[in-house]
Amino acid sequence: MIRQFDVQYFMISVDKLEDNIAFAKKEGADFPMLADPTKETARKYGVLADLSKFNIGEVASRHTFYIGPDGKITDIDRKVNPANSGQDIVTRLTALNVPKAKK
């Protein structure tokens, strides 16, 4: 679905690289997955939630950032639902008038 658009996409997780590799294998993910175990990037993008009151610490909330060819953020989806995130991304790319990939 997403591949019909002229975009690059990847996932960033605050989990360790080994955990990301296991997740990718389990889910059959065939796109780049980046590890941010120091949470430096997540912190800069403002996606960390502090759950210290539950003795969990900082965790990353799911967000989808749409970044234009100029490197600027064009849109952010802060309410990602993993069950339908693929279709949500296609809908948003369509609304943003992102061109289709050339075949």
Side-chain angles (χ1 to χ4, degrees), residues 22-55:
F23 174 82
K25 284 181 182 176
K26 177 182 169 216
E27 298 297 324
D30 62 349
F31 52 87
M33 297 180 69
L34 310 176
D36 178 28
T38 66
K39 302 178 183 174
E40 181 179 347
T41 302
R43 192 168 286 107
K44 288 180 180 179
Y45 276 81
V47 300
L48 290 180
D50 186 4
L51 300 180
S52 296
K53 64 182 178 183
F54 301 108
N55 294 325

Side-chain angles (χ1 to χ4, degrees), residues 74-94:
T74 60
D75 202 5
I76 304 171
D77 181 359
R78 297 184 187 278
K79 297 180 181 178
V80 174
N81 178 346
N84 57 349
S85 62
Q87 183 57 52
D88 290 344
I89 291 170
V90 168
T91 300
R92 190 71 57 108
L93 291 171
T94 301

Side-chain angles (χ1 to χ4, degrees), residues 62-80:
R62 293 176 191 249
H63 290 69
T64 301
F65 288 82
Y66 298 86
I67 302 171
D70 60 358
K72 294 182 181 177
I73 296 171
T74 60
D75 202 5
I76 304 171
D77 181 359
R78 297 184 187 278
K79 297 180 181 178
V80 174

Side-chain angles (χ1 to χ4, degrees), residues 10-13 17 19-21 23-25 29 31-35:
F10 53 89
M11 183 180 104
I12 302 175
S13 170
L17 180 60
D19 294 341
N20 285 340
I21 291 170
F23 174 82
K25 284 181 182 176
F31 52 87
M33 297 180 69
L34 310 176

